[in-house]
Amino acid sequence: MRRNVLWLWLCLAPCVSWGDQRVAQDFRARAPEDEIVYFLLPDRFENGDRANDTGGLSGDRLTTGFDPTHKGFYHGGDLKGLTARLDYIQGLGATAIWLGPIYKNKPVQGGPGQESAGYHGYWITDFTNVDPHFGGEADMRAFVDAAHARGMKVYLDIITNHTADVIQYRECLNVACPYRSKGDYPYSRKGGLSGAPLNAGFAGDGVRSAANFALLTRADYAYTPFVPPSEANVKVPAWLNSPIYYHNRGNSDFVGESSLYGDFFGLDDLMTENPRVVQGFVDIYGAWIDRFGVDGFRIDTARHVNPEFWQAFVPAMLSRARARGIANFHIFGEVAAETVDVAQLARHTRVDKLPSVLDFGFARAVEKTVAGTEGTSVLARLYEDDGLYEGGAGAALRLPTFTGNHDFGRLAWMIRAARPDASDEEVLKRVMLGNALLFLLRGVPVVYSGDEQGFVGHGVDQDARQDLFASQVASYNDQGLLGTGNTTAVANFNPQHPLYAQIAGLAKLRQSHAALRRGRQIVRAHGKSPGLFAASRIGGDGREIVVAFNTSTETAVAQIEVEPSSTVFRTVRGACAARASAPGSFRVEVPPLGYVVCEGAAR
Ligand SMILES: [Ca+2]
Ligand SMILES: [Ca+2]
Ligand SMILES: [Ca+2]
């Protein structure tokens, strides 16, 4: 209603009809590029039921996994708590929740003194049930139904690369097993070239037929894998308990062959070339679509699984979703990258046929430009490669973009690390600039839970997984949050927090302007040093929105190219010139570490 009044007022004043194309309210009808995603780990979000904190287990933390004072153990968050906080998430402007993995995990793993818990959800034993720490099937159903009732989508975090660390190798008990390659340890010999013949007739894992894999009967070609008797039946479905469905070649060193075939720090790496494994995961995750009607998947460690697996899995999931009436089911993979490497990201959309991938290139470019000292040309260079994605630059509109996450740390921490002398005020401004880039440039924004409350963190992984509810972790609570006098020692669900308010505002802006969600993006200005970055978003109706950002601490002024048809401009945010300087040229002035949004029209 308020928007309509505003629109009416604007129309009466300059008599130009400014665009207002809101998104479909029916969540099933909404395209993936129209979403705003909120990502959370349920253990760290809200505790709605203290009775499930130990996951139904009794004993100390090494048995239950529960220790709210330790960053590496369960803290008590659950699905009931999450459901009770949907107002908070929706108030931020999020339309979809990417839920960290909720399948039943091995509660604790790691050698003596190195133990930690599966609070993050990535150490699955039972792929078919909700972990008791998070609640049960009824809690999951209540959560998904409540989200859907609000018009919000639910994206599940899924894993097919590995299970929990259950399989061990005789050759290296309690020590890490180095990777043993297919050349040095072929499938055809036991434990290396001088070993006894094995698996006669097996034509290698490149022949992905059931008949061929029926000839792979022995798993002890590299190491001698075994399952400890106490865990013989711990995995569900039951087929997962047999070592024959795993690579069993030791730990990945994350390059070359081992990137696909190696164990991720001991996590049992599945033989995803085997059609039985492919069908197994189609059945597992298809059932989550059938049972809960979820709206999409985020795929963990996607780059560590062979392309042929995804080529079979993705169409099967999309077809399963269509049969369930979910036409806009979305799938995006995690292709973790340390650098701005679009070729690598795009390869997984072209070769693997993943519908989308998390835009690590964008995150790295934001880190370099907003946190670091590199020029804004890094961003321009990133977008030059958009055409590499399957489907071209149009497909890049669907890439989930983010500025930090639970693995690589938060942008606020990166800024602090890059600028140890920066004031809190400057760090806050830079974080806000990062949010503006996230919401106004192409891609689907993903907000990592806690970023909207000024969480910073001390680093990556466990150090970036602070609780939204009152935390008892000393190494979280020792740090002041940005934009508030609070620390994580108290619950932080504050809709008045300046970052929450900023994100909610950016979300509204994006939702009311189709050009910001789906508009073609043309980079208009960038430089080798920190300073101006400007782009136009061109809507389907040809209308232009200019977004301009300043990564330097001095005012940036420039004439930038715009569409010749954009003769008048309206200030959406900041201060915009009312008219083009000449057809095709527009003057932008952006305050230090600030941003402006100017909507063009013909008159
Ligand atoms: Ca709980
Ligand atoms: Ca293992
Ligand atoms: Ca793998």
Side-chain angles (χ1 to χ4, degrees):
M1 180 60 88
R2 252 175 53 207
R3 272 221 74 87
N4 289 341
V5 172
L6 183 64
W7 186 87
L8 185 68
W9 178 84
L10 287 165
C11 200
L12 287 173
C15 285
V16 172
S17 76
W18 302 101
D20 184 352
Q21 309 107 334
R22 272 164 289 184
V23 295
Q25 287 309 296
D26 172 7
F27 68 96
R28 292 288 193 219
R30 218 160 53 217
E33 49 267 52
D34 285 349
E35 307 299 341
I36 291 167
V37 183
Y38 188 78
F39 164 48
L40 62 92
L41 296 176
D43 180 60
R44 301 297 162 93
F45 190 64
E46 177 63 302
N47 191 349
D49 184 358
R50 302 212 171 269
N52 61 23
D53 287 357
T54 60
L57 303 164
S58 47
D60 64 10
R61 73 180 189 194
L62 296 184
T63 307
T64 66
F66 178 66
D67 181 356
T69 69
H70 193 296
K71 63 185 179 179
F73 285 79
Y74 283 97
H75 291 175
D78 51 40
L79 289 162
K80 269 200 189 105
L82 169 58
T83 306
R85 290 286 184 187
L86 284 173
D87 267 350
Y88 170 82
I89 298 173
Q90 194 163 32
L92 186 66
T95 61
I97 293 170
W98 154 14
L99 179 64
I102 39 73
Y103 323 95
K104 189 174 181 198
N105 269 231
K106 182 163 174 168
V108 177
Q109 65 181 49
Q114 302 297 312
E115 300 92 344
S116 67
Y119 70 92
H120 41 69
Y122 295 103
W123 298 344
I124 307 174
T125 49
D126 181 350
F127 285 77
T128 68
N129 278 300
V130 174
D131 193 288
H133 291 88
F134 300 143
E137 170 123 1
D139 291 338
M140 181 65 185
R141 191 169 308 282
F143 161 64
V144 177
D145 290 350
H148 283 169
R150 292 165 175 264
M152 299 175 78
K153 293 184 182 177
V154 175
Y155 293 155
L156 290 188
D157 207 323
I158 69 167
I159 304 125
T160 71
N161 179 60
H162 54 258
T163 69
D165 179 10
V166 171
I167 296 172
Q168 308 299 318
Y169 306 125
R170 299 275 177 215
E171 289 79 1
C172 35
L173 297 172
N174 292 323
V175 294
C177 275
Y179 186 74
R180 290 187 167 177
S181 73
K182 295 201 278 182
D184 288 334
Y185 296 87
Y187 292 110
S188 58
R189 290 288 183 275
K190 177 175 165 52
L193 297 174
S194 57
L198 292 182
N199 300 318
F202 180 57
D205 59 53
V207 179
R208 291 174 293 275
S209 69
N212 183 44
F213 276 91
L215 300 170
L216 183 72
T217 55
R218 292 275 297 266
D220 52 346
Y221 37 80
Y223 286 105
T224 311
F226 70 99
V227 175
S230 62
E231 295 181 296
N233 298 305
V234 75
K235 291 182 187 175
V236 183
W239 62 267
L240 286 163
N241 290 301
S242 169
I244 203 69
Y245 297 117
Y246 299 81
H247 287 129
N248 303 306
R249 291 186 173 277
N251 276 340
S252 177
D253 48 22
F254 304 107
V255 290
E257 180 190 307
S258 85
S259 178
L260 287 178
Y261 290 83
D263 295 335
F264 205 98
F265 302 104
L267 298 169
D268 306 347
D269 197 68
L270 281 142
M271 192 172 283
T272 43
E273 298 80 12
N274 187 333
R276 176 68 187 89
V277 174
V278 178
Q279 189 56 48
F281 278 107
V282 166
D283 293 343
I284 286 168
Y285 289 116
W288 285 88
I289 298 174
D290 292 347
R291 279 156 68 199
F292 298 101
V294 294
D295 306 281
F297 291 149
R298 175 265 186 186
I299 302 171
D300 185 63
T301 44
R303 63 182 283 205
H304 302 298
V305 174
N306 56 306
E308 299 82 7
F309 178 92
W310 301 125
Q311 289 162 12
F313 180 83
V314 165
M317 292 300 98
L318 294 176
S319 127
R320 194 80 165 244
R322 272 194 302 276
R324 183 73 162 72
I326 311 165
N328 284 305
F329 195 85
H330 194 41
I331 298 177
F332 53 100
E334 177 210 22
V335 179
E338 305 292 334
T339 58
V340 183
D341 184 352
V342 178
Q344 182 192 18
L345 295 173
R347 169 161 54 85
H348 290 271
T349 68
R350 294 187 78 90
V351 180
D352 302 19
K353 304 294 183 197
L354 292 177
S356 203
V357 289
L358 280 159
D359 194 352
F360 273 83
F362 174 80
R364 297 306 181 197
V366 169
E367 180 183 356
K368 286 172 188 293
T369 56
V370 176
T373 54
E374 293 193 35
T376 55
S377 293
V378 175
L379 281 161
R381 180 69 187 82
L382 169 79
Y383 296 125
E384 278 175 9
D385 284 344
D386 275 358
L388 297 180
Y389 290 98
E390 178 80 18
L397 297 171
R398 293 188 163 202
L399 300 176
T401 48
F402 61 99
T403 64
N405 68 18
H406 59 319
D407 290 327
F408 294 90
R410 300 177 187 274
L411 178 60
W413 165 71
M414 296 173 206
I415 294 169
R416 275 268 169 77
R419 299 170 178 278
D421 298 331
S423 65
D424 279 4
E425 188 196 355
E426 180 182 337
V427 174
L428 179 62
K429 272 194 159 172
R430 288 184 183 274
V431 168
M432 287 181 153
L433 186 59
N435 287 336
L437 292 162
L438 179 65
F439 275 78
L440 300 173
L441 294 168
R442 70 100 180 98
V444 176
V446 179
V447 176
Y448 173 43
S449 179
D451 279 0
E452 77 282 10
Q453 294 293 335
F455 286 18
V456 180
H458 291 296
V460 303
D461 199 85
Q462 292 177 5
D463 288 324
R465 298 175 179 177
Q466 305 98 317
D467 307 297
L468 266 282
F469 59 98
S471 184
Q472 299 176 50
V473 177
S475 67
Y476 295 161
N477 296 348
D478 63 356
Q479 189 175 45
L481 307 182
L482 293 174
T484 167
N486 284 355
T487 69
T488 46
V490 298
N492 285 283
F493 294 99
N494 176 16
Q496 265 77 51
H497 190 285
L499 287 168
Y500 185 104
Q502 184 214 11
I503 290 170
L506 287 166
K508 278 203 182 95
L509 201 56
R510 191 178 169 89
Q511 298 300 53
S512 58
H513 292 85
L516 295 177
R517 303 191 302 274
R518 301 178 176 208
R520 188 161 56 92
Q521 176 170 299
I522 305 171
V523 172
R524 300 295 197 183
H526 60 94
K528 288 181 180 165
S529 311
L532 185 67
F533 180 80
S536 291
R537 305 295 307 274
I538 313 288
D541 57 2
R543 290 277 287 277
E544 176 172 25
I545 297 179
V546 171
V547 292
F549 312 85
N550 183 358
T551 63
S552 79
T553 51
E554 286 162 22
T555 302
V557 182
Q559 291 294 141
I560 64 165
E561 184 183 7
V562 291
E563 299 300 290
S565 56
S566 301
T567 55
V568 294
F569 282 85
R570 174 177 82 106
T571 294
V572 178
R573 193 205 181 267
C576 302
R579 285 178 179 73
S581 311
S585 180
F586 181 60
R587 182 181 188 274
V588 290
E589 180 172 338
V590 191
L593 302 178
Y595 57 100
V596 300
V597 182
C598 309
E599 185 176 11
R603 184 149 187 207

